Amino acid sequence: MAVTGNTMNCLLVLEHDAEAVLGSIRHLLDEKKYSVRQCGASIEQLLAAYRGEPRSVFVANVDCDSTVHFLNQMAQSEACSHLPIICCSATFKKAEFYREQLFQPFAYLPLPCPDVMLECTLESAYSYSAMQVRHSCAVEKYTLIAQNISESVVFLDTSWRIDFANEHLKQLLGCSASLQGEHIQTFLDTETVARLESVCSKLGKNSKQSFQGYVITSEDEMVPVWFAVSEVAGCENLLCVMTNLEENLQAEAALREAEAKYRALYQNAAEGMFRIEETGRIIEANAAFNKIFGFEISDWATVPTSYNLSERFVTSTDFIKLMEQVQSVGRQSKFNAQLMRSDGTPIWGEISAQWSVDPKNQIPYVEGILSDVTERRRVELDLQHRATRDCLTGVFSRLSFTEKLHSIFASACYENTRFAVLYLDLNDFKNVNDTYGHHSGDIVIKELVGRIATQIRERDVFGRIGGDEFCIVLEDIRSTKDVDAVVDKIRSVADAPVRINEEHSVSVGLSVGAAIFPEDGDSPEALLQRADKAMYQEKRS
């Protein structure tokens, strides 16, 4: 991974996780592609390291209960919300991992982890972190503009004395001393006080009254002001927002400029940005969002027909899960789901969304960011496939097949069902390699595996155990006749000659041994040994 300038990509890791997490990737660290910061088990130490190394990814060992507890604490810290978390596990069990966990990992990796998978995941994490930082900076910048529009704010107690006044009010009045404790009548003319008393008598719960009046400055000048008055929720205190009408045009111009800048940022963002109702109806979306889905819409406000984001989810329950999380927690980060473009093309999207309320009419809505992660997903699936599949035949590798067998065995014990293990060996295969070369041997193996795969069910587990040895697990069998029928079909397709070039075809025999659970063994190892023994007995006969 490239390093820009003097800034290293940093791995943050808890001290007690260091050996488990870093042990398998020490050689990458030695190449100085990454720096490492080991942190104690406190949020404060982690944040200190994060602030010192902005290009950081947190790598955690979720086999450790104390680390999982620490991650749940992080989930409640807003300061940690942009820090990507990569979870590592040597004994990952999906159902157990997600039970009662609050945090949302960016990705999870096995221990030990292949170099290509690790570097690809880290690169994606660093890219995502940079995107979040850019977005947060942009939002902060234009929020600051909105907060500094020239309006005066004052809170009054029940006797109309000032509890709080912002700097804008002091600037409007031309005074430098604190206004706390002063009565509001001190800087209002008599007619304005009468209007204020009148509107306050009409105020109800959650209501607001507005009127025009005047404030008197320290130089006895009367400045026209637009008052917006409301009761503070839960008490009888008053909130008064005063807009200087003399500066109104200037303020409106500044607001229009700020809105134009925000609109430019919104429309030109590389990520899809959107706003939807609770039902999923799209209220507003930027150009990147339209491009992701293939929508040809220039202005969502003029769209005559409704577009619903839920209809873009290939699995409707994914949209329901997303909305439930947003409504219950207030936000959802890095939610991955398969989506569909307007032309029917499936893609993978990553959504971060939050719950918001329209300040004008209090209508709730959801706003979020959508990224097209189809290519990243393809790379992840390709890496996963390479890690679990035999590179020549595409069937399960020895390790993956063994894991599948143990899982099927556990289910069969619990559900009291039967399954069979077939052990296959190609006869005279060595002669093919010796006579025609290993390339021809590969052709024979690939062809025979393809033929055999057509004779078993999609849910049956097919794995390569050795060079020309294979195993198949047949689930939910009713009798030995079912197994015999499958074996006969496998032999029939395996006996046919295989063309290895334009001039030669070869035929290899197939020896098959079978073992049935529970009759032939009380463990996966015993069943494999029984099937292997039966196969060799057939080969010798």
PDB file of all heavy atoms in Angstrom, residues 494-519:
ATOM      1  N   ALA A 494     -18.069 -41.068 -15.144  1.00  0.00           N
ATOM      2  CA  ALA A 494     -16.613 -41.108 -15.003  1.00  0.00           C
ATOM      3  C   ALA A 494     -15.969 -42.119 -15.945  1.00  0.00           C
ATOM      4  O   ALA A 494     -14.800 -41.978 -16.316  1.00  0.00           O
ATOM      5  CB  ALA A 494     -16.234 -41.422 -13.556  1.00  0.00           C
ATOM      6  N   ASP A 495     -16.732 -43.152 -16.352  1.00  0.00           N
ATOM      7  CA  ASP A 495     -16.169 -44.189 -17.222  1.00  0.00           C
ATOM      8  C   ASP A 495     -15.977 -43.718 -18.654  1.00  0.00           C
ATOM      9  O   ASP A 495     -15.179 -44.298 -19.407  1.00  0.00           O
ATOM     10  CB  ASP A 495     -17.074 -45.421 -17.209  1.00  0.00           C
ATOM     11  CG  ASP A 495     -16.988 -46.176 -15.879  1.00  0.00           C
ATOM     12  OD1 ASP A 495     -16.005 -45.939 -15.150  1.00  0.00           O
ATOM     13  OD2 ASP A 495     -17.902 -46.964 -15.579  1.00  0.00           O
ATOM     14  N   ALA A 496     -16.714 -42.704 -19.071  1.00  0.00           N
ATOM     15  CA  ALA A 496     -16.594 -42.222 -20.457  1.00  0.00           C
ATOM     16  C   ALA A 496     -15.211 -41.636 -20.698  1.00  0.00           C
ATOM     17  O   ALA A 496     -14.635 -40.991 -19.807  1.00  0.00           O
ATOM     18  CB  ALA A 496     -17.672 -41.179 -20.739  1.00  0.00           C
ATOM     19  N   PRO A 497     -14.618 -41.847 -21.900  1.00  0.00           N
ATOM     20  CA  PRO A 497     -13.266 -41.334 -22.200  1.00  0.00           C
ATOM     21  C   PRO A 497     -13.201 -39.809 -22.107  1.00  0.00           C
ATOM     22  O   PRO A 497     -14.189 -39.110 -22.322  1.00  0.00           O
ATOM     23  CB  PRO A 497     -13.012 -41.813 -23.639  1.00  0.00           C
ATOM     24  CG  PRO A 497     -13.961 -42.946 -23.828  1.00  0.00           C
ATOM     25  CD  PRO A 497     -15.177 -42.632 -23.018  1.00  0.00           C
ATOM     26  N   VAL A 498     -12.000 -39.314 -21.793  1.00  0.00           N
ATOM     27  CA  VAL A 498     -11.760 -37.870 -21.728  1.00  0.00           C
ATOM     28  C   VAL A 498     -10.732 -37.518 -22.800  1.00  0.00           C
ATOM     29  O   VAL A 498      -9.645 -38.102 -22.847  1.00  0.00           O
ATOM     30  CB  VAL A 498     -11.215 -37.467 -20.341  1.00  0.00           C
ATOM     31  CG1 VAL A 498     -10.907 -35.971 -20.324  1.00  0.00           C
ATOM     32  CG2 VAL A 498     -12.203 -37.832 -19.245  1.00  0.00           C
ATOM     33  N   ARG A 499     -11.086 -36.579 -23.681  1.00  0.00           N
ATOM     34  CA  ARG A 499     -10.174 -36.150 -24.745  1.00  0.00           C
ATOM     35  C   ARG A 499      -9.184 -35.147 -24.154  1.00  0.00           C
ATOM     36  O   ARG A 499      -9.572 -34.107 -23.628  1.00  0.00           O
ATOM     37  CB  ARG A 499     -10.947 -35.512 -25.896  1.00  0.00           C
ATOM     38  CG  ARG A 499     -10.039 -35.047 -27.048  1.00  0.00           C
ATOM     39  CD  ARG A 499     -10.862 -34.551 -28.218  1.00  0.00           C
ATOM     40  NE  ARG A 499     -11.591 -35.642 -28.835  1.00  0.00           N
ATOM     41  CZ  ARG A 499     -11.068 -36.478 -29.733  1.00  0.00           C
ATOM     42  NH1 ARG A 499      -9.796 -36.335 -30.105  1.00  0.00           N
ATOM     43  NH2 ARG A 499     -11.790 -37.438 -30.258  1.00  0.00           N
ATOM     44  N   ILE A 500      -7.888 -35.469 -24.278  1.00  0.00           N
ATOM     45  CA  ILE A 500      -6.860 -34.584 -23.720  1.00  0.00           C
ATOM     46  C   ILE A 500      -6.191 -33.733 -24.795  1.00  0.00           C
ATOM     47  O   ILE A 500      -5.548 -32.738 -24.476  1.00  0.00           O
ATOM     48  CB  ILE A 500      -5.811 -35.399 -22.946  1.00  0.00           C
ATOM     49  CG1 ILE A 500      -5.151 -36.444 -23.847  1.00  0.00           C
ATOM     50  CG2 ILE A 500      -6.436 -36.039 -21.717  1.00  0.00           C
ATOM     51  CD1 ILE A 500      -4.024 -37.209 -23.159  1.00  0.00           C
ATOM     52  N   ASN A 501      -6.304 -34.151 -26.049  1.00  0.00           N
ATOM     53  CA  ASN A 501      -5.834 -33.335 -27.174  1.00  0.00           C
ATOM     54  C   ASN A 501      -6.516 -33.863 -28.437  1.00  0.00           C
ATOM     55  O   ASN A 501      -7.380 -34.747 -28.366  1.00  0.00           O
ATOM     56  CB  ASN A 501      -4.301 -33.352 -27.295  1.00  0.00           C
ATOM     57  CG  ASN A 501      -3.730 -34.766 -27.360  1.00  0.00           C
ATOM     58  OD1 ASN A 501      -4.238 -35.640 -28.113  1.00  0.00           O
ATOM     59  ND2 ASN A 501      -2.679 -35.012 -26.577  1.00  0.00           N
ATOM     60  N   GLU A 502      -6.126 -33.342 -29.577  1.00  0.00           N
ATOM     61  CA  GLU A 502      -6.791 -33.735 -30.826  1.00  0.00           C
ATOM     62  C   GLU A 502      -6.539 -35.186 -31.186  1.00  0.00           C
ATOM     63  O   GLU A 502      -7.319 -35.794 -31.935  1.00  0.00           O
ATOM     64  CB  GLU A 502      -6.318 -32.821 -31.966  1.00  0.00           C
ATOM     65  CG  GLU A 502      -6.730 -31.360 -31.793  1.00  0.00           C
ATOM     66  CD  GLU A 502      -6.276 -30.517 -32.955  1.00  0.00           C
ATOM     67  OE1 GLU A 502      -5.594 -31.066 -33.855  1.00  0.00           O
ATOM     68  OE2 GLU A 502      -6.607 -29.309 -32.987  1.00  0.00           O
ATOM     69  N   GLU A 503      -5.491 -35.767 -30.648  1.00  0.00           N
ATOM     70  CA  GLU A 503      -5.113 -37.117 -31.056  1.00  0.00           C
ATOM     71  C   GLU A 503      -5.426 -38.182 -30.020  1.00  0.00           C
ATOM     72  O   GLU A 503      -5.571 -39.360 -30.361  1.00  0.00           O
ATOM     73  CB  GLU A 503      -3.610 -37.167 -31.368  1.00  0.00           C
ATOM     74  CG  GLU A 503      -3.194 -36.233 -32.493  1.00  0.00           C
ATOM     75  CD  GLU A 503      -1.688 -36.273 -32.715  1.00  0.00           C
ATOM     76  OE1 GLU A 503      -1.009 -36.977 -31.940  1.00  0.00           O
ATOM     77  OE2 GLU A 503      -1.207 -35.615 -33.662  1.00  0.00           O
ATOM     78  N   HIS A 504      -5.533 -37.792 -28.758  1.00  0.00           N
ATOM     79  CA  HIS A 504      -5.628 -38.818 -27.727  1.00  0.00           C
ATOM     80  C   HIS A 504      -6.817 -38.584 -26.799  1.00  0.00           C
ATOM     81  O   HIS A 504      -7.172 -37.437 -26.484  1.00  0.00           O
ATOM     82  CB  HIS A 504      -4.354 -38.849 -26.864  1.00  0.00           C
ATOM     83  CG  HIS A 504      -3.118 -39.190 -27.648  1.00  0.00           C
ATOM     84  ND1 HIS A 504      -2.286 -38.219 -28.192  1.00  0.00           N
ATOM     85  CD2 HIS A 504      -2.568 -40.388 -27.978  1.00  0.00           C
ATOM     86  CE1 HIS A 504      -1.276 -38.787 -28.817  1.00  0.00           C
ATOM     87  NE2 HIS A 504      -1.427 -40.122 -28.706  1.00  0.00           N
ATOM     88  N   SER A 505      -7.398 -39.692 -26.384  1.00  0.00           N
ATOM     89  CA  SER A 505      -8.411 -39.726 -25.331  1.00  0.00           C
ATOM     90  C   SER A 505      -7.981 -40.790 -24.337  1.00  0.00           C
ATOM     91  O   SER A 505      -7.337 -41.780 -24.704  1.00  0.00           O
ATOM     92  CB  SER A 505      -9.795 -40.049 -25.893  1.00  0.00           C
ATOM     93  OG  SER A 505     -10.237 -39.033 -26.763  1.00  0.00           O
ATOM     94  N   VAL A 506      -8.320 -40.579 -23.065  1.00  0.00           N
ATOM     95  CA  VAL A 506      -7.959 -41.560 -22.039  1.00  0.00           C
ATOM     96  C   VAL A 506      -9.194 -41.908 -21.224  1.00  0.00           C
ATOM     97  O   VAL A 506     -10.138 -41.120 -21.108  1.00  0.00           O
ATOM     98  CB  VAL A 506      -6.861 -41.019 -21.106  1.00  0.00           C
ATOM     99  CG1 VAL A 506      -5.584 -40.756 -21.865  1.00  0.00           C
ATOM    100  CG2 VAL A 506      -7.324 -39.755 -20.384  1.00  0.00           C
ATOM    101  N   SER A 507      -9.163 -43.113 -20.660  1.00  0.00           N
ATOM    102  CA  SER A 507     -10.223 -43.549 -19.757  1.00  0.00           C
ATOM    103  C   SER A 507      -9.567 -43.953 -18.439  1.00  0.00           C
ATOM    104  O   SER A 507      -8.565 -44.675 -18.429  1.00  0.00           O
ATOM    105  CB  SER A 507     -10.988 -44.739 -20.339  1.00  0.00           C
ATOM    106  OG  SER A 507     -11.664 -44.367 -21.526  1.00  0.00           O
ATOM    107  N   VAL A 508     -10.104 -43.459 -17.358  1.00  0.00           N
ATOM    108  CA  VAL A 508      -9.603 -43.839 -16.038  1.00  0.00           C
ATOM    109  C   VAL A 508     -10.769 -44.393 -15.232  1.00  0.00           C
ATOM    110  O   VAL A 508     -11.893 -43.905 -15.334  1.00  0.00           O
ATOM    111  CB  VAL A 508      -8.977 -42.635 -15.297  1.00  0.00           C
ATOM    112  CG1 VAL A 508      -7.729 -42.162 -15.999  1.00  0.00           C
ATOM    113  CG2 VAL A 508      -9.966 -41.504 -15.153  1.00  0.00           C
ATOM    114  N   GLY A 509     -10.497 -45.379 -14.475  1.00  0.00           N
ATOM    115  CA  GLY A 509     -11.537 -45.946 -13.641  1.00  0.00           C
ATOM    116  C   GLY A 509     -11.751 -45.110 -12.391  1.00  0.00           C
ATOM    117  O   GLY A 509     -10.973 -44.229 -12.064  1.00  0.00           O
ATOM    118  N   LEU A 510     -12.823 -45.424 -11.683  1.00  0.00           N
ATOM    119  CA  LEU A 510     -13.168 -44.689 -10.486  1.00  0.00           C
ATOM    120  C   LEU A 510     -13.530 -45.673  -9.383  1.00  0.00           C
ATOM    121  O   LEU A 510     -14.420 -46.506  -9.551  1.00  0.00           O
ATOM    122  CB  LEU A 510     -14.353 -43.751 -10.747  1.00  0.00           C
ATOM    123  CG  LEU A 510     -14.784 -42.858  -9.589  1.00  0.00           C
ATOM    124  CD1 LEU A 510     -13.692 -41.832  -9.290  1.00  0.00           C
ATOM    125  CD2 LEU A 510     -16.092 -42.152  -9.924  1.00  0.00           C
ATOM    126  N   SER A 511     -12.820 -45.588  -8.264  1.00  0.00           N
ATOM    127  CA  SER A 511     -13.143 -46.411  -7.103  1.00  0.00           C
ATOM    128  C   SER A 511     -13.883 -45.551  -6.091  1.00  0.00           C
ATOM    129  O   SER A 511     -13.470 -44.411  -5.817  1.00  0.00           O
ATOM    130  CB  SER A 511     -11.874 -46.974  -6.468  1.00  0.00           C
ATOM    131  OG  SER A 511     -11.208 -47.846  -7.364  1.00  0.00           O
ATOM    132  N   VAL A 512     -14.978 -46.078  -5.542  1.00  0.00           N
ATOM    133  CA  VAL A 512     -15.816 -45.306  -4.631  1.00  0.00           C
ATOM    134  C   VAL A 512     -16.070 -46.119  -3.367  1.00  0.00           C
ATOM    135  O   VAL A 512     -16.455 -47.293  -3.444  1.00  0.00           O
ATOM    136  CB  VAL A 512     -17.164 -44.925  -5.279  1.00  0.00           C
ATOM    137  CG1 VAL A 512     -17.978 -44.068  -4.304  1.00  0.00           C
ATOM    138  CG2 VAL A 512     -16.958 -44.193  -6.579  1.00  0.00           C
ATOM    139  N   GLY A 513     -15.871 -45.482  -2.223  1.00  0.00           N
ATOM    140  CA  GLY A 513     -16.222 -46.080  -0.942  1.00  0.00           C
ATOM    141  C   GLY A 513     -17.225 -45.200  -0.244  1.00  0.00           C
ATOM    142  O   GLY A 513     -17.183 -43.970  -0.371  1.00  0.00           O
ATOM    143  N   ALA A 514     -18.162 -45.810   0.516  1.00  0.00           N
ATOM    144  CA  ALA A 514     -19.218 -45.040   1.168  1.00  0.00           C
ATOM    145  C   ALA A 514     -19.303 -45.392   2.646  1.00  0.00           C
ATOM    146  O   ALA A 514     -19.028 -46.520   3.048  1.00  0.00           O
ATOM    147  CB  ALA A 514     -20.561 -45.285   0.488  1.00  0.00           C
ATOM    148  N   ALA A 515     -19.688 -44.393   3.437  1.00  0.00           N
ATOM    149  CA  ALA A 515     -19.973 -44.588   4.858  1.00  0.00           C
ATOM    150  C   ALA A 515     -21.208 -43.764   5.188  1.00  0.00           C
ATOM    151  O   ALA A 515     -21.359 -42.637   4.705  1.00  0.00           O
ATOM    152  CB  ALA A 515     -18.799 -44.137   5.719  1.00  0.00           C
ATOM    153  N   ILE A 516     -22.101 -44.328   5.999  1.00  0.00           N
ATOM    154  CA  ILE A 516     -23.373 -43.684   6.303  1.00  0.00           C
ATOM    155  C   ILE A 516     -23.454 -43.401   7.799  1.00  0.00           C
ATOM    156  O   ILE A 516     -23.135 -44.258   8.625  1.00  0.00           O
ATOM    157  CB  ILE A 516     -24.562 -44.565   5.852  1.00  0.00           C
ATOM    158  CG1 ILE A 516     -24.516 -44.813   4.342  1.00  0.00           C
ATOM    159  CG2 ILE A 516     -25.888 -43.915   6.249  1.00  0.00           C
ATOM    160  CD1 ILE A 516     -25.591 -45.747   3.838  1.00  0.00           C
ATOM    161  N   PHE A 517     -23.854 -42.190   8.116  1.00  0.00           N
ATOM    162  CA  PHE A 517     -24.086 -41.822   9.516  1.00  0.00           C
ATOM    163  C   PHE A 517     -25.540 -42.078   9.856  1.00  0.00           C
ATOM    164  O   PHE A 517     -26.434 -41.731   9.072  1.00  0.00           O
ATOM    165  CB  PHE A 517     -23.765 -40.338   9.730  1.00  0.00           C
ATOM    166  CG  PHE A 517     -24.093 -39.851  11.115  1.00  0.00           C
ATOM    167  CD1 PHE A 517     -23.237 -40.110  12.176  1.00  0.00           C
ATOM    168  CD2 PHE A 517     -25.280 -39.161  11.365  1.00  0.00           C
ATOM    169  CE1 PHE A 517     -23.555 -39.665  13.459  1.00  0.00           C
ATOM    170  CE2 PHE A 517     -25.593 -38.723  12.638  1.00  0.00           C
ATOM    171  CZ  PHE A 517     -24.725 -38.975  13.687  1.00  0.00           C
ATOM    172  N   PRO A 518     -25.841 -42.712  11.005  1.00  0.00           N
ATOM    173  CA  PRO A 518     -24.918 -43.019  12.110  1.00  0.00           C
ATOM    174  C   PRO A 518     -24.380 -44.446  12.117  1.00  0.00           C
ATOM    175  O   PRO A 518     -23.605 -44.801  12.994  1.00  0.00           O
ATOM    176  CB  PRO A 518     -25.800 -42.776  13.338  1.00  0.00           C
ATOM    177  CG  PRO A 518     -27.157 -43.205  12.884  1.00  0.00           C
ATOM    178  CD  PRO A 518     -27.252 -42.822  11.429  1.00  0.00           C
ATOM    179  N   GLU A 519     -24.774 -45.261  11.117  1.00  0.00           N
ATOM    180  CA  GLU A 519     -24.429 -46.676  11.173  1.00  0.00           C
ATOM    181  C   GLU A 519     -22.930 -46.937  11.139  1.00  0.00           C
ATOM    182  O   GLU A 519     -22.419 -47.825  11.845  1.00  0.00           O
ATOM    183  CB  GLU A 519     -25.087 -47.439  10.012  1.00  0.00           C
ATOM    184  CG  GLU A 519     -26.611 -47.415  10.043  1.00  0.00           C
ATOM    185  CD  GLU A 519     -27.172 -46.328   9.162  1.00  0.00           C
ATOM    186  OE1 GLU A 519     -26.731 -45.165   9.355  1.00  0.00           O
ATOM    187  OE2 GLU A 519     -28.015 -46.603   8.294  1.00  0.00           O
TER     188      GLU A 519
END
